[in-house]
Structure formats: C-alpha cells, structure tokens
Amino acid sequence: MAGAGLLEIKRRIKSITNTQKITRAMGLVATAKFRKLRERAGEIDIYYDEYKRAIEEMLKVNEVEDSVYFQQNSSDIDLYIVVTSDTGLCGSYNANVLNNVLEDMYQKKVAVITVGERGRAFFKKRNYETIAEFVEIGDKPAFKDASEIIKPAIDAFVAGNVRNVYLAYTKFITSVKQTVEIEKLLPFEKNRDLKSSNMEFDPSVTEVMNYAIPKYLYATMYHALVNSIASEYAIRMSAMDNATKNTEKLLEKLKIAYNRARQSNITQEITEIVSGAEALKE
Amino acid sequence: MAAFNFKLITPEKVFFEGEVNSVSMNSITGRVQILANHVGYATGVLPCIIKIVVNNETKKAVVSGGFFQISDNKGVLFADSAEWPEEVDIERAKRAMERAKNRLESKDKNLDVERAKLALLRAMTRLKITEIK
C-alpha cells in the first residue's frame, strides 16, 4: 500500500498552508503600515531638504571652518551608525544594509552604533566595538529618538575619539525602489567651489553653526530612520507577497501529487480486488 | 508694506507658510525683528513666542527653539516644535515646568544645566502664550 506517501504529502500541504497564513497576514499588516509610513517619509523630506539647503548656503561662508564640527582630529577610528530592523521576514532589507556597510568598512578601524535588533546581533557576533545599541524603536520613531541615537556619535566626534561619522540607512525612493545610502555626517567640509556669500551671523558664524549643526544632524538621523522604516515595510510587503505566491505554486504542485498518489492507490486496490475475484471464479 | 516669504517648518509638518510683513523672535543674543529685504542673516532661536505680522494682523505662536535663516527675501525657521496658542496643553506645560524646576534645584552633579534651563524656558513660554491670548 502507498498510504505512507499519501500521509506525508498531506502533512506537507498542512504545514505549507500554515506558512501561507503567516506570510499573507504579515503582508497585510505591512501594507497597512506602509501607507502611513510613506506619508511620514514625505513630511520629513520637506524639513530635511530645506534644512540641507540652508546649511549648504552657510557652507559658502569662509569662517565656518572655525566651528568644532569642521575640525579634523587625529583619531584613526571611523564610526558607523547602522539602521536595521528589529524583526526578520523582510526579505533582503537587512542583508543589503549590512553587506554595503561591511564593504565600506573594509580595512578601516571602526566602531558602530546599531539601530535595530538585527544589526545589533550581527555586529555582536563578529565582535565589533559598539558605542551604543538601540532596539525596538518601533515603526513610529519620535524626533527625540533620533536625537538620542545620534548624540553619542556627536559626543565621540567632538571629544576626538573618532575621526569620521558615517550613517548607513535605506533610502525610500518608491515602493519598488529603495537604495542603501552611506552618508558622511562629520566632519563637515566647506564648499570651496561656490562663491562666498555675505551672510550676517548673529552673534558669530561659529556660534550659529554650533547651534544649527546638531539640530541638522538630528534631522538627518530622523530622516534616515523614517526612510529606513518605510523601506523596511515596502520590502517586507513585496517579500511577503512573493512568499505567498510561492506557497500557492507549491500547494498546487503538492495537490496534484497528492491526487495522483490517491488515484494510483485506488487503481491498485481495484486491481487487487478484481484479480482476487477472477481467481475465485476459476 | 513690503513683504517676504516666510516658512516655519517642524519635523512633523510645515507649520506656517506665506507672505509676511515682519517676523519677531528671540535669537541667542536677544529679540530680533525681521523685515522684508533683509540682508542674508542666520541665527539660533531660543524657545520663545514668535510674532508674525501679515497685513497689520498679528499672529502669535510658541516655538521651542530652532534655527533661522533668511536669504534672497526668503526666510525659514526650523523649529523643533511649534504650536498656536489654542494648541498648547496647559497641564502638560505646568508639569514640565515643575519637573525642570525640581531638576534645577536638585543640585545633582550630573545635571545638564543648559538642558534643564531650556526645558524650563520652553514650559514658561508655553504658559505665557496662553495667558496673553
């Protein structure tokens, strides 16, 4: 009897149906959240872009280089802030960020600040020096969360413990396109190509820069967080959609295999009965 | 009266945008009023009540610190947060004021005095705007 094969296929069908339930539910949740997150990403974009433009305007001024955020220091460590997710089931989202960061870190002496459980586990396993770890930021980060994440980086730079600060995140472009960005945050560099401007500063260039730049960095961090989370959900959405489609295909194949096995079972039984009856006749 | 374009932006939203005649705020050095055709100018802004004048009509709002820049007759104020007087949560501001006062009086050596002072200033500014309305 081929009953054992039948049972095994039945068991697989059941387990795949369960998986399908999970992927489908995760996909639905991601879709609902994604809509809200995309709006948020649009709002912070306005603030960040305007702030960036204002800062660039000031980079034309000669005296900006006196600000502490423009000073090169003698440390040989590069600090990376890496934004990842807390949970899996989001396709290649985390792998993309981490691979890009590793490539960028190649042959450098580095320290990291991790955002998200996935990034934390990744760097811990590989014994990287971590300055700070942030997990469970959730999908609605506050501006304050962003400032708390980046403060240790600013402090380390000002204290001269690190020479460069980089920020790695996933930029949200459209729901089907997201790219990993590694931006250099500190030190700032004066723009030498542009003509100098005659802007007035109250009370001085250095003081205004020292006041404006931390706030700009908070905005940059917030922008990166909101963008990463929107990307995470976009990727999760398509990953779950693909997974659901794959389970559907697999289920179809298994059902055919199941029916075939069942049919051959029946045929065999009938043959046995018929041949048994034939034997009795004679 | 000559007008200029003014924007007040917070991380959450564009709080105010339009042609205005003048804007007053507290910079790190003192109260300043910005009029149209101001020369390129940048300053840090403390928690304060900001006054926006449009066609002889004055609007007031409370901002909790930020950074102001004007160039080419376009002014932008980047504020950490901004509220109209009717949006202020008085109870919350009162609690924040108590907290800040307690912190300042606690004589804790690890206290970030600047931060506590700014928190106190923010709370007091919020309460002030509800009183003068």
PDB file of all heavy atoms in Angstrom, chain A residues 60-80:
ATOM      1  N   LYS A  60      29.144  78.262   2.301  1.00  0.00           N
ATOM      2  CA  LYS A  60      29.894  79.159   1.422  1.00  0.00           C
ATOM      3  C   LYS A  60      30.713  80.169   2.223  1.00  0.00           C
ATOM      4  O   LYS A  60      31.634  80.777   1.699  1.00  0.00           O
ATOM      5  CB  LYS A  60      28.920  79.958   0.541  1.00  0.00           C
ATOM      6  CG  LYS A  60      28.095  79.129  -0.402  1.00  0.00           C
ATOM      7  CD  LYS A  60      27.131  80.067  -1.129  1.00  0.00           C
ATOM      8  CE  LYS A  60      26.068  79.325  -1.893  1.00  0.00           C
ATOM      9  NZ  LYS A  60      25.036  80.257  -2.376  1.00  0.00           N
ATOM     10  N   VAL A  61      30.326  80.364   3.469  1.00  0.00           N
ATOM     11  CA  VAL A  61      30.976  81.395   4.272  1.00  0.00           C
ATOM     12  C   VAL A  61      32.340  80.901   4.755  1.00  0.00           C
ATOM     13  O   VAL A  61      32.471  79.752   5.183  1.00  0.00           O
ATOM     14  CB  VAL A  61      30.085  81.769   5.472  1.00  0.00           C
ATOM     15  CG1 VAL A  61      30.741  82.827   6.325  1.00  0.00           C
ATOM     16  CG2 VAL A  61      28.733  82.238   4.982  1.00  0.00           C
ATOM     17  N   ASN A  62      33.335  81.770   4.655  1.00  0.00           N
ATOM     18  CA  ASN A  62      34.695  81.340   4.955  1.00  0.00           C
ATOM     19  C   ASN A  62      34.913  80.892   6.392  1.00  0.00           C
ATOM     20  O   ASN A  62      35.560  79.899   6.650  1.00  0.00           O
ATOM     21  CB  ASN A  62      35.672  82.465   4.633  1.00  0.00           C
ATOM     22  CG  ASN A  62      35.903  82.541   3.152  1.00  0.00           C
ATOM     23  OD1 ASN A  62      35.995  81.511   2.496  1.00  0.00           O
ATOM     24  ND2 ASN A  62      35.973  83.752   2.622  1.00  0.00           N
ATOM     25  N   GLU A  63      34.337  81.653   7.329  1.00  0.00           N
ATOM     26  CA  GLU A  63      34.663  81.411   8.733  1.00  0.00           C
ATOM     27  C   GLU A  63      34.058  80.134   9.307  1.00  0.00           C
ATOM     28  O   GLU A  63      34.337  79.793  10.449  1.00  0.00           O
ATOM     29  CB  GLU A  63      34.242  82.605   9.605  1.00  0.00           C
ATOM     30  CG  GLU A  63      34.958  83.896   9.276  1.00  0.00           C
ATOM     31  CD  GLU A  63      34.240  84.678   8.179  1.00  0.00           C
ATOM     32  OE1 GLU A  63      33.398  84.087   7.464  1.00  0.00           O
ATOM     33  OE2 GLU A  63      34.524  85.880   8.041  1.00  0.00           O
ATOM     34  N   VAL A  64      33.185  79.434   8.525  1.00  0.00           N
ATOM     35  CA  VAL A  64      32.539  78.254   9.102  1.00  0.00           C
ATOM     36  C   VAL A  64      33.546  77.224   9.582  1.00  0.00           C
ATOM     37  O   VAL A  64      33.262  76.442  10.474  1.00  0.00           O
ATOM     38  CB  VAL A  64      31.561  77.545   8.130  1.00  0.00           C
ATOM     39  CG1 VAL A  64      30.313  78.349   7.913  1.00  0.00           C
ATOM     40  CG2 VAL A  64      32.229  77.191   6.833  1.00  0.00           C
ATOM     41  N   GLU A  65      34.723  77.248   9.005  1.00  0.00           N
ATOM     42  CA  GLU A  65      35.699  76.216   9.353  1.00  0.00           C
ATOM     43  C   GLU A  65      36.191  76.308  10.794  1.00  0.00           C
ATOM     44  O   GLU A  65      36.815  75.386  11.295  1.00  0.00           O
ATOM     45  CB  GLU A  65      36.878  76.262   8.378  1.00  0.00           C
ATOM     46  CG  GLU A  65      36.515  75.655   7.054  1.00  0.00           C
ATOM     47  CD  GLU A  65      37.559  75.938   6.002  1.00  0.00           C
ATOM     48  OE1 GLU A  65      37.790  77.117   5.694  1.00  0.00           O
ATOM     49  OE2 GLU A  65      38.141  74.976   5.507  1.00  0.00           O
ATOM     50  N   ASP A  66      35.884  77.409  11.445  1.00  0.00           N
ATOM     51  CA  ASP A  66      36.277  77.523  12.850  1.00  0.00           C
ATOM     52  C   ASP A  66      35.383  76.692  13.767  1.00  0.00           C
ATOM     53  O   ASP A  66      35.732  76.418  14.902  1.00  0.00           O
ATOM     54  CB  ASP A  66      36.222  78.995  13.295  1.00  0.00           C
ATOM     55  CG  ASP A  66      37.222  79.826  12.523  1.00  0.00           C
ATOM     56  OD1 ASP A  66      38.180  79.226  12.007  1.00  0.00           O
ATOM     57  OD2 ASP A  66      37.039  81.052  12.435  1.00  0.00           O
ATOM     58  N   SER A  67      34.224  76.313  13.257  1.00  0.00           N
ATOM     59  CA  SER A  67      33.298  75.542  14.087  1.00  0.00           C
ATOM     60  C   SER A  67      33.889  74.175  14.412  1.00  0.00           C
ATOM     61  O   SER A  67      34.622  73.593  13.619  1.00  0.00           O
ATOM     62  CB  SER A  67      31.973  75.389  13.359  1.00  0.00           C
ATOM     63  OG  SER A  67      31.241  74.326  13.918  1.00  0.00           O
ATOM     64  N   VAL A  68      33.528  73.653  15.584  1.00  0.00           N
ATOM     65  CA  VAL A  68      34.084  72.381  16.050  1.00  0.00           C
ATOM     66  C   VAL A  68      33.684  71.227  15.127  1.00  0.00           C
ATOM     67  O   VAL A  68      34.385  70.228  15.006  1.00  0.00           O
ATOM     68  CB  VAL A  68      33.656  72.133  17.517  1.00  0.00           C
ATOM     69  CG1 VAL A  68      32.132  72.060  17.638  1.00  0.00           C
ATOM     70  CG2 VAL A  68      34.277  70.870  18.050  1.00  0.00           C
ATOM     71  N   TYR A  69      32.558  71.381  14.404  1.00  0.00           N
ATOM     72  CA  TYR A  69      32.083  70.301  13.548  1.00  0.00           C
ATOM     73  C   TYR A  69      32.840  70.214  12.222  1.00  0.00           C
ATOM     74  O   TYR A  69      32.548  69.379  11.388  1.00  0.00           O
ATOM     75  CB  TYR A  69      30.585  70.454  13.309  1.00  0.00           C
ATOM     76  CG  TYR A  69      29.819  70.408  14.604  1.00  0.00           C
ATOM     77  CD1 TYR A  69      29.263  71.562  15.140  1.00  0.00           C
ATOM     78  CD2 TYR A  69      29.715  69.225  15.316  1.00  0.00           C
ATOM     79  CE1 TYR A  69      28.595  71.525  16.352  1.00  0.00           C
ATOM     80  CE2 TYR A  69      29.063  69.177  16.531  1.00  0.00           C
ATOM     81  CZ  TYR A  69      28.498  70.333  17.044  1.00  0.00           C
ATOM     82  OH  TYR A  69      27.856  70.302  18.237  1.00  0.00           O
ATOM     83  N   PHE A  70      33.791  71.129  12.015  1.00  0.00           N
ATOM     84  CA  PHE A  70      34.584  71.116  10.788  1.00  0.00           C
ATOM     85  C   PHE A  70      36.010  70.639  11.044  1.00  0.00           C
ATOM     86  O   PHE A  70      36.776  70.483  10.126  1.00  0.00           O
ATOM     87  CB  PHE A  70      34.630  72.520  10.166  1.00  0.00           C
ATOM     88  CG  PHE A  70      33.330  72.922   9.520  1.00  0.00           C
ATOM     89  CD1 PHE A  70      32.256  73.323  10.294  1.00  0.00           C
ATOM     90  CD2 PHE A  70      33.189  72.902   8.151  1.00  0.00           C
ATOM     91  CE1 PHE A  70      31.064  73.690   9.704  1.00  0.00           C
ATOM     92  CE2 PHE A  70      31.995  73.267   7.554  1.00  0.00           C
ATOM     93  CZ  PHE A  70      30.933  73.658   8.341  1.00  0.00           C
ATOM     94  N   GLN A  71      36.352  70.438  12.323  1.00  0.00           N
ATOM     95  CA  GLN A  71      37.743  70.138  12.671  1.00  0.00           C
ATOM     96  C   GLN A  71      38.081  68.668  12.418  1.00  0.00           C
ATOM     97  O   GLN A  71      37.343  67.779  12.832  1.00  0.00           O
ATOM     98  CB  GLN A  71      38.002  70.459  14.147  1.00  0.00           C
ATOM     99  CG  GLN A  71      37.640  71.869  14.571  1.00  0.00           C
ATOM    100  CD  GLN A  71      38.356  72.915  13.756  1.00  0.00           C
ATOM    101  OE1 GLN A  71      39.528  72.758  13.428  1.00  0.00           O
ATOM    102  NE2 GLN A  71      37.646  73.969  13.394  1.00  0.00           N
ATOM    103  N   GLN A  72      39.206  68.443  11.747  1.00  0.00           N
ATOM    104  CA  GLN A  72      39.719  67.087  11.617  1.00  0.00           C
ATOM    105  C   GLN A  72      40.408  66.760  12.931  1.00  0.00           C
ATOM    106  O   GLN A  72      41.023  67.626  13.530  1.00  0.00           O
ATOM    107  CB  GLN A  72      40.781  67.030  10.503  1.00  0.00           C
ATOM    108  CG  GLN A  72      40.366  67.668   9.218  1.00  0.00           C
ATOM    109  CD  GLN A  72      39.737  66.663   8.279  1.00  0.00           C
ATOM    110  OE1 GLN A  72      39.665  65.486   8.611  1.00  0.00           O
ATOM    111  NE2 GLN A  72      39.278  67.137   7.138  1.00  0.00           N
ATOM    112  N   ASN A  73      40.301  65.515  13.385  1.00  0.00           N
ATOM    113  CA  ASN A  73      41.072  65.165  14.579  1.00  0.00           C
ATOM    114  C   ASN A  73      42.005  63.995  14.289  1.00  0.00           C
ATOM    115  O   ASN A  73      41.973  63.408  13.209  1.00  0.00           O
ATOM    116  CB  ASN A  73      40.160  64.908  15.776  1.00  0.00           C
ATOM    117  CG  ASN A  73      39.206  63.774  15.523  1.00  0.00           C
ATOM    118  OD1 ASN A  73      39.596  62.735  15.029  1.00  0.00           O
ATOM    119  ND2 ASN A  73      37.937  63.966  15.854  1.00  0.00           N
ATOM    120  N   SER A  74      42.833  63.659  15.263  1.00  0.00           N
ATOM    121  CA  SER A  74      43.917  62.717  14.982  1.00  0.00           C
ATOM    122  C   SER A  74      43.531  61.269  15.257  1.00  0.00           C
ATOM    123  O   SER A  74      44.377  60.380  15.176  1.00  0.00           O
ATOM    124  CB  SER A  74      45.118  63.103  15.837  1.00  0.00           C
ATOM    125  OG  SER A  74      44.710  63.166  17.175  1.00  0.00           O
ATOM    126  N   SER A  75      42.284  61.018  15.580  1.00  0.00           N
ATOM    127  CA  SER A  75      41.855  59.645  15.820  1.00  0.00           C
ATOM    128  C   SER A  75      41.920  58.840  14.514  1.00  0.00           C
ATOM    129  O   SER A  75      41.883  59.404  13.429  1.00  0.00           O
ATOM    130  CB  SER A  75      40.433  59.646  16.359  1.00  0.00           C
ATOM    131  OG  SER A  75      39.896  58.354  16.289  1.00  0.00           O
ATOM    132  N   ASP A  76      42.034  57.500  14.638  1.00  0.00           N
ATOM    133  CA  ASP A  76      42.071  56.695  13.414  1.00  0.00           C
ATOM    134  C   ASP A  76      40.847  55.798  13.309  1.00  0.00           C
ATOM    135  O   ASP A  76      40.821  54.834  12.556  1.00  0.00           O
ATOM    136  CB  ASP A  76      43.358  55.864  13.366  1.00  0.00           C
ATOM    137  CG  ASP A  76      43.487  54.961  14.574  1.00  0.00           C
ATOM    138  OD1 ASP A  76      42.685  55.129  15.516  1.00  0.00           O
ATOM    139  OD2 ASP A  76      44.379  54.094  14.573  1.00  0.00           O
ATOM    140  N   ILE A  77      39.800  56.122  14.081  1.00  0.00           N
ATOM    141  CA  ILE A  77      38.604  55.270  14.081  1.00  0.00           C
ATOM    142  C   ILE A  77      37.478  55.929  13.289  1.00  0.00           C
ATOM    143  O   ILE A  77      37.234  57.125  13.405  1.00  0.00           O
ATOM    144  CB  ILE A  77      38.137  55.013  15.531  1.00  0.00           C
ATOM    145  CG1 ILE A  77      39.230  54.267  16.294  1.00  0.00           C
ATOM    146  CG2 ILE A  77      36.840  54.219  15.556  1.00  0.00           C
ATOM    147  CD1 ILE A  77      38.947  54.119  17.756  1.00  0.00           C
ATOM    148  N   ASP A  78      36.803  55.113  12.462  1.00  0.00           N
ATOM    149  CA  ASP A  78      35.622  55.588  11.762  1.00  0.00           C
ATOM    150  C   ASP A  78      34.392  55.015  12.451  1.00  0.00           C
ATOM    151  O   ASP A  78      34.332  53.825  12.732  1.00  0.00           O
ATOM    152  CB  ASP A  78      35.641  55.126  10.308  1.00  0.00           C
ATOM    153  CG  ASP A  78      36.702  55.869   9.507  1.00  0.00           C
ATOM    154  OD1 ASP A  78      36.669  57.095   9.526  1.00  0.00           O
ATOM    155  OD2 ASP A  78      37.558  55.201   8.895  1.00  0.00           O
ATOM    156  N   LEU A  79      33.432  55.880  12.705  1.00  0.00           N
ATOM    157  CA  LEU A  79      32.221  55.436  13.383  1.00  0.00           C
ATOM    158  C   LEU A  79      31.083  55.293  12.379  1.00  0.00           C
ATOM    159  O   LEU A  79      30.844  56.184  11.571  1.00  0.00           O
ATOM    160  CB  LEU A  79      31.837  56.446  14.480  1.00  0.00           C
ATOM    161  CG  LEU A  79      30.526  56.202  15.208  1.00  0.00           C
ATOM    162  CD1 LEU A  79      30.568  54.893  15.982  1.00  0.00           C
ATOM    163  CD2 LEU A  79      30.210  57.348  16.148  1.00  0.00           C
ATOM    164  N   TYR A  80      30.392  54.146  12.441  1.00  0.00           N
ATOM    165  CA  TYR A  80      29.252  53.898  11.553  1.00  0.00           C
ATOM    166  C   TYR A  80      27.983  53.780  12.374  1.00  0.00           C
ATOM    167  O   TYR A  80      27.938  53.041  13.350  1.00  0.00           O
ATOM    168  CB  TYR A  80      29.450  52.591  10.775  1.00  0.00           C
ATOM    169  CG  TYR A  80      30.404  52.719   9.621  1.00  0.00           C
ATOM    170  CD1 TYR A  80      31.778  52.676   9.827  1.00  0.00           C
ATOM    171  CD2 TYR A  80      29.941  52.900   8.323  1.00  0.00           C
ATOM    172  CE1 TYR A  80      32.665  52.809   8.773  1.00  0.00           C
ATOM    173  CE2 TYR A  80      30.811  53.024   7.259  1.00  0.00           C
ATOM    174  CZ  TYR A  80      32.175  52.984   7.497  1.00  0.00           C
ATOM    175  OH  TYR A  80      33.045  53.105   6.443  1.00  0.00           O
TER     176      TYR A  80
END
